Amino acid sequence: METVVAREGIYAVTSSTNFVRGCRNKEAAPAYINQLLSDQGILSVPKALRFGPTTDVALGELATDILLNSRERVALKRPIDRKAFMEQSAPLGERKAKELIGW
């Protein structure tokens, strides 16, 4: 599969995992985090989304499928205006809630 990158560039993707205070089975949280940070867990992102890992995990055959696999492609990444993003986060959260919950 060939990936096409718009001439305007692309944005990096981030993800996070959080646990809710008072959640059930909180003793399982460290085991879950350790699994996510294991080589097997880290490789799940490149396998599913073709984004490179942020660790030194060996990619093996996946290396050729990674979207940002060269200096030229990395140069296409555009910085995120975090201030503008944060200013939009509350209105976007309200919109998401209205659309998903229906209020």
Side-chain angles (χ1 to χ4, degrees):
M1 176 180 357
E2 183 66 26
T3 301
V4 178
V5 177
R7 68 179 146 263
E8 293 85 5
I10 57 176
Y11 290 93
V13 174
T14 61
S15 64
S16 63
T17 298
N18 301 290
F19 295 98
V20 177
R21 183 189 316 217
C23 66
R24 291 179 295 168
N25 303 319
K26 62 183 173 186
E27 66 281 351
Y32 179 71
I33 292 294
N34 287 334
Q35 178 60 30
L36 289 176
L37 295 175
S38 70
D39 286 357
Q40 179 185 11
I42 293 292
L43 285 172
S44 63
V45 173
K47 285 179 183 174
L49 303 175
R50 298 177 57 216
F51 293 119
T54 55
T55 68
D56 60 356
V57 64
L59 292 169
E61 295 175 6
L62 290 173
T64 58
D65 292 333
I66 301 301
L67 176 62
L68 302 174
N69 59 0
S70 68
R71 286 188 179 155
E72 294 81 18
R73 285 192 170 195
V74 169
L76 294 171
K77 283 199 314 187
R78 299 291 177 246
I80 296 172
D81 182 344
R82 297 200 184 277
K83 183 178 178 186
F85 178 77
M86 292 306 292
E87 289 171 356
Q88 295 174 17
S89 66
L92 288 174
E94 290 175 19
R95 179 179 168 199
K96 182 172 94 173
K98 286 179 183 175
E99 290 185 17
L100 292 176
I101 301 171
W103 21 285

